[in-house]
Amino acid sequence: MHKSLIQYIQDSIRNNWENLALTDFNGVSYQYRDIARKVAKLHLLYEHAGIKRGDKIALCGKNSSQWAVAFIATMTYGAVAVPILHEFKPDNIHHLVSHCDARLFFTDDSTWENLDPASMSKLEGAVNLTDFSLLMSRNERLKAARQRLNELFGKKYPERFTPEDVVYHREKGDDVAIINYTSGSTGFSKGVMLSYNSLWSNIRFCIDGVTFLKPGDSLVCMLPLAHMYGLSVEFIHPFVKGCHIYFLTRVPSPKVILDAFATVRPKLVVTVPLIIEKIVKTKVFPLLDKPLMKVLLHVPFLDDKLLEKIKKGLTDAFGGNVQEIIIGGAGLNKDVETFLRRIGFPYTVGYGMTECGPLVAYAPWDIQRAGSCGKLVDRMECRIDSPDPENIPGELWVKGINVMKGYFKNKEATDAVTKDGWMNTGDLCTMDKDGFIYIRGRNKNMILGPSGQNIYPEEIEQKLNNMPYVSESIVVDSNGKLVALIYPDMDQATKDGIPMDNMDSIMNDNIKVLNKELPAYSQLSKVKIYYQEFEKTPKRSIKRYLYQGAV
């Protein structure tokens, strides 16, 4: 059993040399040997530019084969990779690149043209993800190395470049491999420091737990590579297995996703609840609501035949070859889950968080229990702070190899969630006698975006509360759309002679202004006005749970 993540990557490249590795959907494809050559060239670029092991290299761009190559090159060189979501606003990107002390920055043309290099003063160079050309250099060694890169490669490998030339450094397990920021706002962003051991443990669990995925199998990477769920489970895990990974490279709309499934015919699908719920609610539930179908579903024998046909249609929507769909990031809609279990559809719901790189719990679909997010993953311990963990929810604490080393440059935030080697997940859970974990509520109010982005409503509310005539606000999720619930500042409006009839128009104007500051995935779709103050706890916190289904 390998104890080294880097060795997993090295061996996969060597053993799958001629096989297809990465494809941009409807675009270019690369074999594992192509990846090896590109990685070798980037290692030479790093070396001759004076990049050392432990230096930070940031990556910000849409999912693509080139993004994946830059990440692999960074990891296997021994530098610290810092993935940044490309949908963040320029100010956030400036802040994160500077905060992590990045020396190099991989990005694409469309992101770079909106950035100001002067706001990233520590940065020595920016590299274009399209062709690895330089977008900017403050380092003469970097500039010279890029100009002579093919020559340097030819000198180092004067004969053929072979699998034997793929020899990467051996990492120290406790060293930081990745800094992954949990949020893009300067006020709330925390850089989660994940060690090689954490990544290795996550990948090892996937190897041991998802045994049906074999070398040469194909899958679609839909989730953002800048988040640990997509990075670990959808990219690194299949890569070390020798699989062929397709990147969508564009916004993963339902049509784009279904087209990709039909072409790729993946065995494994990793997704967020919204994708599954949309497909079931739009393709299946309307069919089941027809009067004739309601009758037939109560006729013995016919109901089984009918459900089997529906299951086949749903399986075909995912390419017809799927053996398991892993859903993570949030719980599944209860009606959807009940239906999927009734037809024996191979889905399972896992549980994780960035701070665990990301896996905390998982169970294969054939043993998973309704409403559960699985059992604790290998090399981890957990405890629930409750007098009766089976029946009374309590905060879930975890300990083990997956857990982060802390928040980068933020001891206060680290100390707030860690104690004696344990980390507080912030989630309220119960656990049955067989070890299946059930999330009963989230202390954190995070909303999961349509493509797996973490949306923190407090960040949006803080901005919204500064808009004209807004007294208080709550941002809630309504069928995948973000809605602002607003209690207006009626005293101020009265003083200014503004009639209440104008409040809808004023608030809609506020939303338009605010959306210009927000990434596309966290923009508000509409507003609902409350003319009574929101209910509060004794500490004057809004009782959010009272308003979750208010739209």
Side-chain angles (χ1 to χ4, degrees), residues 93-393:
I93 296 173
H94 293 152
H95 165 71
L96 297 182
V97 169
S98 297
H99 183 266
C100 76
D101 303 321
R103 291 187 64 188
L104 289 183
F105 179 41
F106 285 86
T107 190
D108 50 42
D109 287 316
S110 58
T111 303
W112 182 251
E113 67 185 15
N114 294 311
L115 299 179
D116 176 14
S119 297
M120 302 175 284
S121 57
K122 301 174 191 173
L123 200 61
E124 294 177 30
V127 183
N128 195 327
L129 279 168
T130 307
D131 56 6
F132 297 145
S133 60
L134 293 182
L135 292 163
M136 181 274 286
S137 177
R138 297 181 176 121
N139 178 336
E140 288 304 317
R141 293 170 65 187
L142 173 66
K143 198 180 294 183
R146 183 62 190 90
Q147 288 170 348
R148 298 175 52 233
L149 198 52
N150 288 331
E151 177 193 338
L152 293 170
F153 184 81
K155 281 184 178 178
K156 183 159 187 178
Y157 307 103
E159 305 298 327
R160 285 189 318 124
F161 183 74
T162 69
E164 287 68 39
D165 292 313
V166 178
V167 180
Y168 301 141
H169 88 288
R170 285 295 170 266
E171 73 276 26
K172 293 178 182 175
D174 201 42
D175 283 352
V176 175
I178 289 178
I179 298 174
N180 195 249
Y181 283 89
T182 59
S183 161
S185 163
T186 56
F188 292 85
S189 56
K190 290 180 294 213
V192 177
M193 296 185 288
L194 294 168
S195 69
Y196 285 98
N197 279 340
S198 172
L199 298 182
W200 171 85
S201 182
N202 273 273
I203 301 310
R204 182 73 219 182
F205 182 82
C206 291
I207 290 169
D208 294 338
V210 188
T211 54
F212 57 82
L213 203 61
K214 306 294 183 187
D217 285 344
S218 300
L219 79 163
V220 181
C221 182
M222 296 184 288
L223 301 175
L225 288 171
H227 278 185
M228 291 310 301
Y229 189 21
L231 186 67
S232 290
V233 184
E234 266 194 316
F235 168 48
I236 304 176
H237 152 231
F239 188 87
V240 303
K241 282 184 172 176
C243 296
H244 180 192
I245 304 159
Y246 287 77
F247 299 107
L248 295 180
T249 71
R250 43 196 279 218
V251 176
S253 68
K255 184 184 184 308
V256 169
I257 290 168
L258 292 175
D259 286 349
F261 287 155
T263 301
V264 177
R265 304 188 71 242
K267 277 188 185 176
L268 173 68
V269 171
V270 183
T271 187
V272 292
L274 193 65
I275 301 293
I276 303 293
E277 289 167 6
K278 274 191 175 178
I279 290 172
V280 173
K281 286 177 180 177
T282 57
K283 289 186 171 289
V284 180
F285 281 1
L287 185 69
L288 299 180
D289 278 339
K290 291 182 178 178
L292 179 60
M293 287 292 280
K294 286 182 176 179
V295 173
L296 293 176
L297 283 171
H298 287 89
V299 178
F301 181 71
L302 270 182
D303 61 341
D304 289 341
K305 290 285 186 186
L306 211 53
L307 290 173
E308 192 59 39
K309 192 171 181 182
I310 292 169
K311 179 182 176 181
K312 184 183 183 305
L314 198 54
T315 303
D316 288 344
F318 289 96
N321 196 35
V322 67
Q323 294 197 25
E324 183 169 83
I325 294 177
I326 302 175
I327 300 165
L332 194 57
N333 175 279
K334 194 173 181 181
D335 291 339
V336 172
E337 180 165 23
T338 300
F339 170 74
L340 292 178
R341 291 186 73 81
R342 185 179 177 189
I343 65 173
F345 196 68
Y347 82 95
T348 188
V349 177
Y351 165 55
M353 57 195 304
T354 303
E355 286 86 344
C356 291
L359 299 178
V360 175
Y362 163 86
W365 75 271
D366 52 347
I367 67 164
Q368 181 65 289
R369 295 182 179 175
S372 170
C373 58
K375 294 184 174 187
L376 195 69
V377 299
D378 298 342
R379 295 167 290 277
M380 293 282 283
E381 301 173 60
C382 75
R383 73 167 196 259
I384 293 173
D385 280 358
S386 163
D388 180 7
E390 275 194 54
N391 300 299
I392 301 172

Side-chain angles (χ1 to χ4, degrees), residues 50-98:
I51 302 296
K52 299 180 181 65
R53 289 177 185 174
D55 284 345
K56 318 300 189 297
I57 297 178
L59 303 95
C60 182
K62 293 177 183 175
N63 286 10
S64 69
S65 297
Q66 293 284 86
W67 193 107
V69 167
F71 175 82
I72 292 169
T74 301
M75 287 273 292
T76 54
Y77 185 80
V80 177
V82 186
I84 296 172
L85 204 62
H86 75 279
E87 292 160 301
F88 284 156
K89 294 292 182 183
D91 284 353
N92 288 340
I93 296 173
H94 293 152
H95 165 71
L96 297 182
V97 169
S98 297

